[in-house]
Amino acid sequence: MREGWLIDQDDCWIWRFWRDETAWVRDPKVFLDRGRLLPGEEPLLKERHYLRKDAAEQLWKSLQTQGWKPLKTPAWGATAEP
């Protein structure tokens, strides 16, 4: 997976999981951005984490058991920064 998106039950907060392509071969790590969309504005990005691939996969599964749902389309572009 190059990128994945999860949204909470209230359709408010969003997690974006995306690979760090620069280190993927030697030490697979994933960036995680959490934010929300604001009507008519840039997305509000609250935090970023940098985890090993296995820890990111565990968090992905844990969030889904808590009711987070996958998004089919990206919520914001790669230029958005927290």
Side-chain angles (χ1 to χ4, degrees), residues 47-82:
E47 62 184 299
R48 174 172 285 169
H49 298 277
Y50 190 58
L51 300 176
R52 298 182 73 82
K53 179 183 174 230
D54 56 342
E57 288 172 345
Q58 287 177 345
L59 179 59
W60 175 273
K61 291 174 187 173
S62 174
L63 288 169
Q64 286 187 312
T65 63
Q66 297 171 38
W68 290 69
K69 305 166 289 201
L71 281 176
K72 303 219 185 295
T73 58
W76 57 76
T79 58
E81 289 290 326

